[in-house]
Amino acid sequence: MAHTDQTMRRVLRREIAGTIGLLTDEHDFRAMRRYRSFTFDDYTTYFRQVEAVLRARASQGTHTTVALFDPEDYAEFCSTTGLDPDAPASRTRFTAQLAATGPTVPYEGQPLADLLPALVDEAVRQATWEYASMLLARLGTCAGCGEDLGRAAYIRASHLLVRILDTAPPGDHHLVCSVSGPPETLVSVLHADENDGDPPRLDEAEALEFTSVLALGLATDVPGGLVMRTTAPGSPDRVYGWRLRGYGLEPLTAGEVFDAYCTDAESGDLISPESNVDYCEPPDLGDENPTPGHRH
């Protein structure tokens, strides 16, 4: 009977998913060393041990996600909840919250050094989405009609994104939207890959962030732009884009796209154009008629 119980428990342990909070750089590692219960002496050893734990769990058939562990957020969490920050149980509680609300990526046997950039990108994407969503919510309602300006801008941005993808040539698409403004420029990236003529596949989190940033640019009428690059087998890459203008998108000329890609952003010096790339004008979005969104 005892042997059967142990076997059943081993089976159940394999079905328990877990999350490991990862300190992504030495600066964060040093911040955690002020806690006596955090016993690692150097970041290299810490990083190697985390990877060993991940590999061991994977070899046992256990699914693990990796979360970005931010020491400042951890200290605030402990202060808010009244937990002792110098206790392993508190770190466990914080990591459990990260699993539900924070940026995470699944561990699938890859080197931890390869997973790290994906985790950082996920954290940046979530922070960008949260910031853009906050600014959209602060726009309030239209004084003339009472419409929620942030929601209307999001609907408008969603419509424009659909039109961009519908009118795009076949291939895999890489879209970048940038919106200028205090305190910093927001940049969002969206990948839309096609497969055998099917509609492009979008990552839901990427699409949500991208649409929110585009909506913010439309609603606030600040300088911004959207550029798309399409890659397809047997043909040059196609690059074209728009500037955000008047609650909509204004097409860039082929020359403007060429200048943007062939000018160093910091020095202003000309750089050589890429080979096998066509810088061109975007297709007509067919957007002259009234479309969803606030139109005042």
PDB file of all heavy atoms in Angstrom, residues 166-190:
ATOM      1  N   ASP A 166      -5.236  42.847 -44.282  1.00  0.00           N
ATOM      2  CA  ASP A 166      -6.053  42.379 -45.403  1.00  0.00           C
ATOM      3  C   ASP A 166      -5.479  42.811 -46.747  1.00  0.00           C
ATOM      4  O   ASP A 166      -5.625  42.107 -47.748  1.00  0.00           O
ATOM      5  CB  ASP A 166      -7.493  42.903 -45.274  1.00  0.00           C
ATOM      6  CG  ASP A 166      -8.300  42.136 -44.233  1.00  0.00           C
ATOM      7  OD1 ASP A 166      -7.823  41.073 -43.783  1.00  0.00           O
ATOM      8  OD2 ASP A 166      -9.395  42.601 -43.866  1.00  0.00           O
ATOM      9  N   THR A 167      -4.865  43.992 -46.797  1.00  0.00           N
ATOM     10  CA  THR A 167      -4.349  44.514 -48.060  1.00  0.00           C
ATOM     11  C   THR A 167      -2.884  44.180 -48.283  1.00  0.00           C
ATOM     12  O   THR A 167      -2.322  44.530 -49.323  1.00  0.00           O
ATOM     13  CB  THR A 167      -4.517  46.045 -48.111  1.00  0.00           C
ATOM     14  OG1 THR A 167      -3.823  46.639 -46.993  1.00  0.00           O
ATOM     15  CG2 THR A 167      -5.985  46.440 -48.050  1.00  0.00           C
ATOM     16  N   ALA A 168      -2.242  43.510 -47.326  1.00  0.00           N
ATOM     17  CA  ALA A 168      -0.815  43.212 -47.434  1.00  0.00           C
ATOM     18  C   ALA A 168      -0.572  42.110 -48.459  1.00  0.00           C
ATOM     19  O   ALA A 168      -1.409  41.221 -48.662  1.00  0.00           O
ATOM     20  CB  ALA A 168      -0.262  42.786 -46.077  1.00  0.00           C
ATOM     21  N   PRO A 169       0.583  42.128 -49.134  1.00  0.00           N
ATOM     22  CA  PRO A 169       0.926  41.034 -50.045  1.00  0.00           C
ATOM     23  C   PRO A 169       1.165  39.753 -49.259  1.00  0.00           C
ATOM     24  O   PRO A 169       1.393  39.792 -48.042  1.00  0.00           O
ATOM     25  CB  PRO A 169       2.213  41.540 -50.715  1.00  0.00           C
ATOM     26  CG  PRO A 169       2.796  42.487 -49.730  1.00  0.00           C
ATOM     27  CD  PRO A 169       1.635  43.152 -49.059  1.00  0.00           C
ATOM     28  N   PRO A 170       1.109  38.588 -49.916  1.00  0.00           N
ATOM     29  CA  PRO A 170       1.354  37.315 -49.214  1.00  0.00           C
ATOM     30  C   PRO A 170       2.750  37.279 -48.605  1.00  0.00           C
ATOM     31  O   PRO A 170       3.699  37.833 -49.152  1.00  0.00           O
ATOM     32  CB  PRO A 170       1.207  36.271 -50.330  1.00  0.00           C
ATOM     33  CG  PRO A 170       0.431  36.939 -51.416  1.00  0.00           C
ATOM     34  CD  PRO A 170       0.798  38.396 -51.350  1.00  0.00           C
ATOM     35  N   GLY A 171       2.835  36.648 -47.451  1.00  0.00           N
ATOM     36  CA  GLY A 171       4.131  36.509 -46.796  1.00  0.00           C
ATOM     37  C   GLY A 171       4.019  36.670 -45.296  1.00  0.00           C
ATOM     38  O   GLY A 171       2.926  36.770 -44.731  1.00  0.00           O
ATOM     39  N   ASP A 172       5.169  36.681 -44.647  1.00  0.00           N
ATOM     40  CA  ASP A 172       5.243  36.909 -43.206  1.00  0.00           C
ATOM     41  C   ASP A 172       5.500  38.390 -42.956  1.00  0.00           C
ATOM     42  O   ASP A 172       6.371  38.990 -43.594  1.00  0.00           O
ATOM     43  CB  ASP A 172       6.362  36.073 -42.586  1.00  0.00           C
ATOM     44  CG  ASP A 172       6.084  34.580 -42.683  1.00  0.00           C
ATOM     45  OD1 ASP A 172       4.906  34.211 -42.827  1.00  0.00           O
ATOM     46  OD2 ASP A 172       7.048  33.790 -42.638  1.00  0.00           O
ATOM     47  N   HIS A 173       4.748  38.976 -42.033  1.00  0.00           N
ATOM     48  CA  HIS A 173       4.769  40.424 -41.836  1.00  0.00           C
ATOM     49  C   HIS A 173       5.372  40.783 -40.479  1.00  0.00           C
ATOM     50  O   HIS A 173       5.101  40.135 -39.466  1.00  0.00           O
ATOM     51  CB  HIS A 173       3.353  40.993 -41.932  1.00  0.00           C
ATOM     52  CG  HIS A 173       2.588  40.502 -43.106  1.00  0.00           C
ATOM     53  ND1 HIS A 173       3.000  40.719 -44.401  1.00  0.00           N
ATOM     54  CD2 HIS A 173       1.441  39.776 -43.188  1.00  0.00           C
ATOM     55  CE1 HIS A 173       2.139  40.172 -45.229  1.00  0.00           C
ATOM     56  NE2 HIS A 173       1.185  39.584 -44.523  1.00  0.00           N
ATOM     57  N   HIS A 174       6.170  41.833 -40.497  1.00  0.00           N
ATOM     58  CA  HIS A 174       6.785  42.382 -39.289  1.00  0.00           C
ATOM     59  C   HIS A 174       6.391  43.855 -39.220  1.00  0.00           C
ATOM     60  O   HIS A 174       6.802  44.649 -40.059  1.00  0.00           O
ATOM     61  CB  HIS A 174       8.308  42.225 -39.365  1.00  0.00           C
ATOM     62  CG  HIS A 174       9.043  42.796 -38.195  1.00  0.00           C
ATOM     63  ND1 HIS A 174       9.290  42.081 -37.046  1.00  0.00           N
ATOM     64  CD2 HIS A 174       9.597  44.024 -37.995  1.00  0.00           C
ATOM     65  CE1 HIS A 174       9.965  42.833 -36.191  1.00  0.00           C
ATOM     66  NE2 HIS A 174      10.166  44.010 -36.738  1.00  0.00           N
ATOM     67  N   LEU A 175       5.548  44.210 -38.238  1.00  0.00           N
ATOM     68  CA  LEU A 175       5.037  45.567 -38.120  1.00  0.00           C
ATOM     69  C   LEU A 175       5.651  46.247 -36.903  1.00  0.00           C
ATOM     70  O   LEU A 175       5.794  45.632 -35.839  1.00  0.00           O
ATOM     71  CB  LEU A 175       3.516  45.578 -37.979  1.00  0.00           C
ATOM     72  CG  LEU A 175       2.675  45.041 -39.136  1.00  0.00           C
ATOM     73  CD1 LEU A 175       2.491  43.528 -39.004  1.00  0.00           C
ATOM     74  CD2 LEU A 175       1.307  45.722 -39.191  1.00  0.00           C
ATOM     75  N   VAL A 176       5.972  47.529 -37.067  1.00  0.00           N
ATOM     76  CA  VAL A 176       6.504  48.333 -35.969  1.00  0.00           C
ATOM     77  C   VAL A 176       5.705  49.632 -35.901  1.00  0.00           C
ATOM     78  O   VAL A 176       5.584  50.342 -36.904  1.00  0.00           O
ATOM     79  CB  VAL A 176       7.996  48.656 -36.160  1.00  0.00           C
ATOM     80  CG1 VAL A 176       8.498  49.521 -34.999  1.00  0.00           C
ATOM     81  CG2 VAL A 176       8.823  47.388 -36.274  1.00  0.00           C
ATOM     82  N   CYS A 177       5.159  49.933 -34.726  1.00  0.00           N
ATOM     83  CA  CYS A 177       4.447  51.194 -34.505  1.00  0.00           C
ATOM     84  C   CYS A 177       5.177  51.969 -33.419  1.00  0.00           C
ATOM     85  O   CYS A 177       5.475  51.425 -32.343  1.00  0.00           O
ATOM     86  CB  CYS A 177       3.005  50.928 -34.071  1.00  0.00           C
ATOM     87  SG  CYS A 177       2.029  52.431 -33.793  1.00  0.00           S
ATOM     88  N   SER A 178       5.474  53.229 -33.697  1.00  0.00           N
ATOM     89  CA  SER A 178       6.136  54.079 -32.708  1.00  0.00           C
ATOM     90  C   SER A 178       5.316  55.345 -32.512  1.00  0.00           C
ATOM     91  O   SER A 178       4.803  55.925 -33.465  1.00  0.00           O
ATOM     92  CB  SER A 178       7.561  54.425 -33.147  1.00  0.00           C
ATOM     93  OG  SER A 178       7.555  55.123 -34.374  1.00  0.00           O
ATOM     94  N   VAL A 179       5.199  55.752 -31.259  1.00  0.00           N
ATOM     95  CA  VAL A 179       4.428  56.938 -30.894  1.00  0.00           C
ATOM     96  C   VAL A 179       5.301  57.788 -29.983  1.00  0.00           C
ATOM     97  O   VAL A 179       5.734  57.331 -28.921  1.00  0.00           O
ATOM     98  CB  VAL A 179       3.115  56.551 -30.177  1.00  0.00           C
ATOM     99  CG1 VAL A 179       2.396  57.796 -29.676  1.00  0.00           C
ATOM    100  CG2 VAL A 179       2.217  55.754 -31.112  1.00  0.00           C
ATOM    101  N   SER A 180       5.563  59.024 -30.378  1.00  0.00           N
ATOM    102  CA  SER A 180       6.409  59.920 -29.594  1.00  0.00           C
ATOM    103  C   SER A 180       5.590  60.620 -28.525  1.00  0.00           C
ATOM    104  O   SER A 180       4.378  60.808 -28.662  1.00  0.00           O
ATOM    105  CB  SER A 180       7.066  60.969 -30.495  1.00  0.00           C
ATOM    106  OG  SER A 180       7.836  60.348 -31.502  1.00  0.00           O
ATOM    107  N   GLY A 181       6.278  61.011 -27.465  1.00  0.00           N
ATOM    108  CA  GLY A 181       5.590  61.771 -26.433  1.00  0.00           C
ATOM    109  C   GLY A 181       6.266  61.612 -25.099  1.00  0.00           C
ATOM    110  O   GLY A 181       7.042  60.685 -24.889  1.00  0.00           O
ATOM    111  N   PRO A 182       5.980  62.539 -24.210  1.00  0.00           N
ATOM    112  CA  PRO A 182       6.587  62.466 -22.888  1.00  0.00           C
ATOM    113  C   PRO A 182       6.031  61.271 -22.124  1.00  0.00           C
ATOM    114  O   PRO A 182       4.856  60.947 -22.261  1.00  0.00           O
ATOM    115  CB  PRO A 182       6.164  63.789 -22.235  1.00  0.00           C
ATOM    116  CG  PRO A 182       4.916  64.194 -22.971  1.00  0.00           C
ATOM    117  CD  PRO A 182       5.080  63.685 -24.364  1.00  0.00           C
ATOM    118  N   PRO A 183       6.859  60.617 -21.317  1.00  0.00           N
ATOM    119  CA  PRO A 183       8.279  60.927 -21.111  1.00  0.00           C
ATOM    120  C   PRO A 183       9.194  60.242 -22.127  1.00  0.00           C
ATOM    121  O   PRO A 183      10.379  60.500 -22.157  1.00  0.00           O
ATOM    122  CB  PRO A 183       8.545  60.386 -19.707  1.00  0.00           C
ATOM    123  CG  PRO A 183       7.637  59.207 -19.610  1.00  0.00           C
ATOM    124  CD  PRO A 183       6.389  59.579 -20.372  1.00  0.00           C
ATOM    125  N   GLU A 184       8.656  59.317 -22.943  1.00  0.00           N
ATOM    126  CA  GLU A 184       9.508  58.597 -23.877  1.00  0.00           C
ATOM    127  C   GLU A 184       8.670  58.074 -25.032  1.00  0.00           C
ATOM    128  O   GLU A 184       7.435  58.057 -24.978  1.00  0.00           O
ATOM    129  CB  GLU A 184      10.206  57.430 -23.170  1.00  0.00           C
ATOM    130  CG  GLU A 184       9.234  56.441 -22.537  1.00  0.00           C
ATOM    131  CD  GLU A 184       9.953  55.364 -21.746  1.00  0.00           C
ATOM    132  OE1 GLU A 184      10.938  54.831 -22.264  1.00  0.00           O
ATOM    133  OE2 GLU A 184       9.519  55.066 -20.623  1.00  0.00           O
ATOM    134  N   THR A 185       9.356  57.656 -26.092  1.00  0.00           N
ATOM    135  CA  THR A 185       8.684  57.083 -27.247  1.00  0.00           C
ATOM    136  C   THR A 185       8.277  55.645 -26.946  1.00  0.00           C
ATOM    137  O   THR A 185       9.057  54.861 -26.423  1.00  0.00           O
ATOM    138  CB  THR A 185       9.612  57.113 -28.474  1.00  0.00           C
ATOM    139  OG1 THR A 185       9.917  58.470 -28.797  1.00  0.00           O
ATOM    140  CG2 THR A 185       8.954  56.445 -29.666  1.00  0.00           C
ATOM    141  N   LEU A 186       7.030  55.318 -27.288  1.00  0.00           N
ATOM    142  CA  LEU A 186       6.552  53.949 -27.148  1.00  0.00           C
ATOM    143  C   LEU A 186       6.733  53.238 -28.484  1.00  0.00           C
ATOM    144  O   LEU A 186       6.358  53.777 -29.532  1.00  0.00           O
ATOM    145  CB  LEU A 186       5.082  53.918 -26.741  1.00  0.00           C
ATOM    146  CG  LEU A 186       4.726  54.412 -25.339  1.00  0.00           C
ATOM    147  CD1 LEU A 186       3.229  54.271 -25.107  1.00  0.00           C
ATOM    148  CD2 LEU A 186       5.491  53.629 -24.287  1.00  0.00           C
ATOM    149  N   VAL A 187       7.277  52.039 -28.445  1.00  0.00           N
ATOM    150  CA  VAL A 187       7.481  51.246 -29.650  1.00  0.00           C
ATOM    151  C   VAL A 187       6.871  49.869 -29.429  1.00  0.00           C
ATOM    152  O   VAL A 187       7.106  49.233 -28.397  1.00  0.00           O
ATOM    153  CB  VAL A 187       8.977  51.100 -29.990  1.00  0.00           C
ATOM    154  CG1 VAL A 187       9.154  50.246 -31.243  1.00  0.00           C
ATOM    155  CG2 VAL A 187       9.618  52.465 -30.190  1.00  0.00           C
ATOM    156  N   SER A 188       6.088  49.415 -30.403  1.00  0.00           N
ATOM    157  CA  SER A 188       5.468  48.105 -30.316  1.00  0.00           C
ATOM    158  C   SER A 188       5.720  47.344 -31.610  1.00  0.00           C
ATOM    159  O   SER A 188       5.696  47.916 -32.694  1.00  0.00           O
ATOM    160  CB  SER A 188       3.961  48.244 -30.066  1.00  0.00           C
ATOM    161  OG  SER A 188       3.351  46.968 -29.960  1.00  0.00           O
ATOM    162  N   VAL A 189       5.941  46.039 -31.468  1.00  0.00           N
ATOM    163  CA  VAL A 189       6.241  45.174 -32.611  1.00  0.00           C
ATOM    164  C   VAL A 189       5.199  44.069 -32.687  1.00  0.00           C
ATOM    165  O   VAL A 189       4.786  43.507 -31.665  1.00  0.00           O
ATOM    166  CB  VAL A 189       7.649  44.566 -32.483  1.00  0.00           C
ATOM    167  CG1 VAL A 189       7.926  43.595 -33.631  1.00  0.00           C
ATOM    168  CG2 VAL A 189       8.706  45.658 -32.434  1.00  0.00           C
ATOM    169  N   LEU A 190       4.777  43.768 -33.906  1.00  0.00           N
ATOM    170  CA  LEU A 190       3.786  42.709 -34.127  1.00  0.00           C
ATOM    171  C   LEU A 190       4.246  41.830 -35.279  1.00  0.00           C
ATOM    172  O   LEU A 190       4.631  42.335 -36.341  1.00  0.00           O
ATOM    173  CB  LEU A 190       2.415  43.313 -34.441  1.00  0.00           C
ATOM    174  CG  LEU A 190       1.287  42.334 -34.778  1.00  0.00           C
ATOM    175  CD1 LEU A 190       0.958  41.460 -33.574  1.00  0.00           C
ATOM    176  CD2 LEU A 190       0.035  43.087 -35.232  1.00  0.00           C
TER     177      LEU A 190
END
